[in-house]
Amino acid sequence: MIFASDNWAGAHPRIASALAAHAGGFEPAYGNGPLDAKVQAKFAEIFERDVAVFFVGTGTAANALSLVSADRPGGVSFCHRESHVMDDECGAPEYFTGGSRLHAVDGALGRMDPDNLTSAIGRFAGDNVHAGRAAAVTITQATEIGTLYTPDQIRKISGIARQHGLPLHMDGARFANALVSLGVTPAEMTWKSGVDMVSFGGTKNGCWCAESVLMFDMDRAKEFGFIRKRAAQLFSKSRFIAAQFDAYFEDGLWLETATHANAMASRLAGHVAASASMRLAWQPQANEVFVVMTQDTADALQQKGVHFYDWNTPRAFASQIAPGERLWRFVTSFGTTVEDVDRFGELLS
Amino acid sequence: MIFASDNWAGAHPRIASALAAHAGGFEPAYGNGPLDAKVQAKFAEIFERDVAVFFVGTGTAANALSLVSADRPGGVSFCHRESHVMDDECGAPEYFTGGSRLHAVDGALGRMDPDNLTSAIGRFAGDNVHAGRAAAVTITQATEIGTLYTPDQIRKISGIARQHGLPLHMDGARFANALVSLGVTPAEMTWKSGVDMVSFGGTKNGCWCAESVLMFDMDRAKEFGFIRKRAAQLFSKSRFIAAQFDAYFEDGLWLETATHANAMASRLAGHVAASASMRLAWQPQANEVFVVMTQDTADALQQKGVHFYDWNTPRAFASQIAPGERLWRFVTSFGTTVEDVDRFGELLS
Amino acid sequence: MIFASDNWAGAHPRIASALAAHAGGFEPAYGNGPLDAKVQAKFAEIFERDVAVFFVGTGTAANALSLVSADRPGGVSFCHRESHVMDDECGAPEYFTGGSRLHAVDGALGRMDPDNLTSAIGRFAGDNVHAGRAAAVTITQATEIGTLYTPDQIRKISGIARQHGLPLHMDGARFANALVSLGVTPAEMTWKSGVDMVSFGGTKNGCWCAESVLMFDMDRAKEFGFIRKRAAQLFSKSRFIAAQFDAYFEDGLWLETATHANAMASRLAGHVAASASMRLAWQPQANEVFVVMTQDTADALQQKGVHFYDWNTPRAFASQIAPGERLWRFVTSFGTTVEDVDRFGELLS
Amino acid sequence: MIFASDNWAGAHPRIASALAAHAGGFEPAYGNGPLDAKVQAKFAEIFERDVAVFFVGTGTAANALSLVSADRPGGVSFCHRESHVMDDECGAPEYFTGGSRLHAVDGALGRMDPDNLTSAIGRFAGDNVHAGRAAAVTITQATEIGTLYTPDQIRKISGIARQHGLPLHMDGARFANALVSLGVTPAEMTWKSGVDMVSFGGTKNGCWCAESVLMFDMDRAKEFGFIRKRAAQLFSKSRFIAAQFDAYFEDGLWLETATHANAMASRLAGHVAASASMRLAWQPQANEVFVVMTQDTADALQQKGVHFYDWNTPRAFASQIAPGERLWRFVTSFGTTVEDVDRFGELLS
């Protein structure tokens, strides 16, 4: 019963097959092969517009380099206090930008609060060289705690960003999980709602290693080839990423795996809700379930072979954790089975 | 007839199979799975000693982060004038170190001349804060132009480095090609000759994407986990690299593919040597053949479907290029066939 | 009536005279002259121990480079939420470290709360490459809002730092103001309380431009010459800084000017306390007075020729500001006269 | 007899007096005072056009930050092989740009050879992400070895830069020495010859510490306030730099001191030319004299109290140094006296 992370799963069989199918023969390196071109065209089709597509190797790279492309001297980028860029990338955004700052913005349920964002940007508006100045806004969809921004909520954020002349980046490590949960189109969830750049992740949803930076502004994209190469993220045998995305999009595999992962999370959440020994921290909207229980209860489950992690309590949730309680995270993926989820449910009852 | 680059080849069938075989099931992420451990142990066996192994995604990353680990304020690293770190990484070493300098050292046939190295380091020795100071030496094996350092030649370089307290890094993007050509052991080609860190490349020799930083000094290695993660090079589904290396080493596949690639280069060189319209620039020692011919001759070949690239003339070779002539590079790989090499040979006669 | 900032004052007459007196003749550059050596010896005498002294040009440089010297890959440094490094240096600490992070720690009255510090460091303890790791702690003395750490409070902070193997840096832009207010020795306020590095500022207390990084650990200091030069902070005509410090320490001038500035702040605070139209935000302990009043009241004063700035409300103080009120800062210096302070007092009554 | 460096001199009496005269009273900090404005207007007058003026503390800062303002991802800047940015700034340009590269261009007598520049830029032209790309060209006037570019020679360089869309920066640490030697106007030596940015140095020519970055492109200048502050080069008591420049320009002091220094160099060169034990390496054009003599001859002079430094032999001059000979540098300044020069001359005869 592995609910440790969606990156504990390997590759979906159709991804693995596609890789094997594309292993043979010679192709131009560094993204110049026909499969690269095919996948780029597929992205344009899916997003219903021109889009610049840059493969990179990790979600951390996708996020950090997006922020590099938006940076300027004295730059400050705004993210949620408990976002991945803030908590789980070892300072990569700051490192790759050469020292720009991430500024934490609070908000309930993993979402930046628009008023807090406005007031945070306000501190860096104008031409005050002592303070530094705003450079970009970045949101995570689905958020680090498995909740979602609706397109309306995204538009609210992008409106504020635009008012200050800032690009809006979306960390879409779990893009597909958010998309199918909201039931909107990729266009609606991104550029139609004011998103300028996307870290489009395939890895957590069934690929081995397939991440892309998407840019809707072709002018900004012109710089990105150098930004990526200088950052050691231009893969020579680029087709091994292209092949994954090719299979990922084929016959809607990506939507299928995300839908499955989300359903497994819902099912798992149902078991939790029915249990007397734990409770849902909040309603899951994608493929992550956050649960409040005691250390003892968690220990007992782990001894029975259930894998999951403890989680730092978000500031906005702190008041809802009683002494002795802790927060825990369960993640489902394309590889999670109904059987495992229900075995877990049985352990609870 | 693709002699453009060894990275135009895809993955060796046994690498591709291994990847497929390891696609299913759940494994701990970020390098903590059993396959990661198995591969690390395999490296220790191959190198006949303890060695810290860090998977990364690209050769550029392996080189740049090795230099980061050796860097210090005002640091200057010494490399051959026409090395890969100098000419083909978009300044990644300087970027990742936050501004340390690469200092070009001349030498014939792609190898740093020891006297030139000594005199170059001399400019940065002592405690002259204006000049900066030496931080590391890095050599490429096989070199960018397909020649080799013998263990004796490596020891000469490492002796100089050690005299100045500098670690010696080896860019082994074509490690296996050098190894089988020299007929020495991995230990002899590295730590027994004074090498401290290796960028151990699998990609050019039959993998999709498998690179490692090897460190023989466990103290230095302690920092590297942070250096790698901060640089966005820690892969979540680490087993997809481990699986490649696992197959790479299995039954000596890596030696076999390198031997084949080298043999194809030799065969191709034979055709060139026998041709009236071109000549070998120098004797190939690994899987790259450098050829002098006119633009017209090259154009004619390319129109007949032969793929190869022009190459910047090394400074030490400039006097040997006549007006109207140019330098061209042919690369062979595990995927190069005797048939293709001989079809090329026929075109020459 | 200039209470805008202590850097609106020029140079104390004795500083100006010393500069003029040392203008003539030739001296070795870059800190190698006899006056440099004399001043360094004077620092050692004042601090009652060996201390490495590095002149730099600005307080921002002193702070940022101190943090560089303590940094390591993935590093995070801890400072008060409203400290100068955080709010007023345009991200210089992050820039010079190449991307290390400043982590805000809350605490009342401008001082880091020890419990908050402990819990903040806890998030970055251990070997979690995703989170990054603690690198240094930095406190400001006097704090950005004119309060002080007692030696006991410093020891509390340094104890926590030491427990985690972290050096403690003190931003002493207003070192002298703090010192004379506490009535302790420089040694007691620094290394005897566990401080490892000091940004020792002379500029705000009567110099033109005289800042020093002090290091009590000679091993750490070995690197600093390169850190400083690479950062463009090694001044060729170093004696122009040395001459300022020479006069600064001569006959206790520095204590005299600080004592005067503090007394002026006290006197000004007395006028505020006696006024019906405003109130002291908190009791001043050095040369800064923070006042709560309405915008209208402030406007009226400014129209009468009183110069002072509005100030961002510290988070810990937010609940004490009523709607319509605002926070304002008044700063005194060696140049502030009793007459000006009392003219201001008259305006209030 | 101090010919060690022009930075061994202190401050010209008129500079020292100006500083003392401006010491008193309150002025807005950070460059916002009336004296700052006056000096900026003076620069505009001297350069016969609008120019953005940014005071900084060191020549290294002026150079490095100019290059920051011209930089872009993968950037490479072109300088003479033995320029100050290359040899004497501890890698500051690379550090402040976060890793952009300096590319050495050869040329006789300290001047970049235009053909070499063209061919160097050619390696980085186009959109080759592996190579990186050209970002800026920087020349030194007077050069590191005391020679000059004529306006025609500058125009040749700027023509090449412009052809590749690159800004041209001039390191004018010895701007005045070059200017008076050429007998042209500041406008002719800079923007009228295609120079876009200037590091305008006052320190070596009689100031304590007065350097400026001048920008003729107001759009580029908009970013520079943040670039400077983030780099810890915004001085709070900015008037102490302004006051120096004010006196520097007053009644043509700067031209007078430069003329004197140059004349002293000429006179010293005359003594060398007349001597049997040494020879001029090349004809001095500003305030530096380079001399070839044996170590023994140099030792004897130094024992008699003559201060001067050995110098790394420029590559282009290497063939003109016989075994046993060495290159030595003598620098004169506003403070050099006829008496000292002639006492030196007597020692030679």
Side-chain angles (χ1 to χ4, degrees), chain D:
Chain D
M1 290 163 284
I2 307 289
F3 308 115
S5 178
D6 30 15
N7 56 35
W8 283 44
H12 189 278
R14 279 159 60 189
I15 303 285
S17 299
L19 262 180
H22 284 285
F26 295 94
E27 295 293 355
Y30 298 117
N32 299 312
L35 191 59
D36 301 288
K38 179 189 169 197
V39 168
Q40 287 174 35
K42 187 72 187 172
F43 268 105
E45 188 191 318
I46 286 171
F47 280 86
E48 304 172 45
R49 59 165 289 167
D50 267 6
V51 54
V53 180
F54 298 92
F55 300 154
V56 296
T58 63
T60 296
N63 291 337
L65 299 186
S66 295
L67 293 176
V68 168
S69 91
D71 196 34
R72 43 188 193 159
V76 176
S77 291
F78 301 86
C79 62
H80 189 270
R81 176 173 304 280
E82 288 104 5
S83 57
H84 197 267
V85 286
M86 190 55 115
D87 277 356
D88 279 300
E89 301 188 347
C90 196
E94 294 99 326
Y95 176 57
F96 280 99
T97 55
S100 281
R101 187 182 291 174
L102 291 180
H103 189 92
V105 177
D106 284 301
L109 290 173
R111 299 182 202 102
M112 255 193 264
D113 178 83
D115 291 343
N116 288 347
L117 176 61
T118 297
S119 107
I121 295 180
R123 292 279 285 252
F124 300 94
D127 229 27
N128 178 354
V129 297
H130 302 279
R133 57 186 165 164
V137 177
T138 174
I139 58 174
T140 315
Q141 177 81 323
T143 76
E144 269 307 88
I145 58 166
T147 58
L148 300 178
Y149 288 89
T150 64
D152 268 0
Q153 288 170 324
I154 297 172
R155 262 191 296 278
K156 200 107 184 224
I157 299 289
S158 69
I160 298 166
R162 216 160 293 289
Q163 221 176 320
H164 289 87
L166 308 178
L168 177 59
H169 168 257
M170 174 181 281
D171 173 359
R174 294 187 179 95
F175 189 95
N177 300 93
L179 191 78
V180 300
S181 180
L182 288 171
V184 298
T185 67
E188 284 162 357
M189 200 168 86
T190 59
W191 61 273
K192 286 188 176 172
S193 299
V195 173
D196 300 289
M197 298 181 281
V198 180
S199 295
F200 184 93
T203 306
K204 288 181 192 295
N205 190 34
C207 294
W208 272 120
C209 159
E211 305 286 320
S212 267
V213 173
L214 308 183
M215 297 205 155
F216 301 118
D217 173 346
M218 293 300 153
D219 265 350
R220 185 186 300 282
K222 273 178 199 157
E223 292 287 299
F224 204 79
F226 288 93
I227 289 174
R228 177 177 58 174
K229 173 64 192 175
R230 179 181 63 161
Q233 290 286 341
L234 177 58
F235 288 79
S236 57
K237 296 184 176 176
S238 174
R239 62 168 137 158
F240 92 92
I241 299 183
Q244 294 177 69
F245 276 126
D246 190 45
Y248 189 64
F249 293 136
E250 186 77 20
D251 295 329
L253 173 61
W254 66 307
L255 306 175
E256 191 182 298
T257 49
T259 302
H260 174 80
N262 289 0
M264 291 303 98
S266 264
R267 192 175 188 101
L268 191 149
H271 294 314
V272 170
S275 162
S277 61
M278 60 185 64
R279 68 178 192 279
L280 286 176
W282 46 82
Q283 210 50 45
Q285 299 185 276
N287 65 321
E288 296 183 297
V289 182
F290 289 79
V291 175
V292 179
M293 60 178 131
T294 63
Q295 182 76 47
D296 284 353
T297 308
D299 287 349
L301 284 170
Q302 285 171 336
Q303 276 158 28
K304 285 171 187 151
V306 189
H307 286 75
F308 56 97
Y309 284 128
D310 63 306
W311 199 254
N312 284 323
T313 307
R315 180 183 289 207
F317 189 72
S319 63
Q320 298 175 56
I321 297 268
E325 290 185 336
R326 256 187 109 164
L327 188 63
W328 308 85
R329 186 189 73 163
F330 294 73
V331 193
T332 56
S333 74
F334 76 92
T336 308
T337 60
V338 175
E339 290 68 35
D340 266 9
V341 173
D342 288 351
R343 276 175 58 212
F344 169 73
E346 283 160 31
L347 289 178
L348 300 193
S349 52

Side-chain angles (χ1 to χ4, degrees), chain C residues 82-142:
Chain C
E82 286 104 7
S83 57
H84 197 267
V85 287
M86 189 56 114
D87 276 356
D88 279 299
E89 301 188 346
C90 196
E94 293 99 327
Y95 177 57
F96 280 98
T97 55
S100 280
R101 187 181 291 172
L102 291 180
H103 188 91
V105 177
D106 284 300
L109 290 173
R111 299 182 202 104
M112 253 194 264
D113 178 83
D115 291 342
N116 289 346
L117 175 61
T118 298
S119 106
I121 295 179
R123 293 280 284 252
F124 299 94
D127 228 28
N128 177 354
V129 297
H130 303 278
R133 57 185 165 164
V137 177
T138 174
I139 58 174
T140 316
Q141 176 81 323

Side-chain angles (χ1 to χ4, degrees), chain C residues 196-219:
Chain C
D196 299 290
M197 299 182 280
V198 180
S199 295
F200 184 93
T203 307
K204 288 182 193 294
N205 190 34
C207 294
W208 272 122
C209 158
E211 305 286 320
S212 268
V213 173
L214 309 183
M215 296 204 157
F216 301 118
D217 173 347
M218 293 300 151
D219 266 350

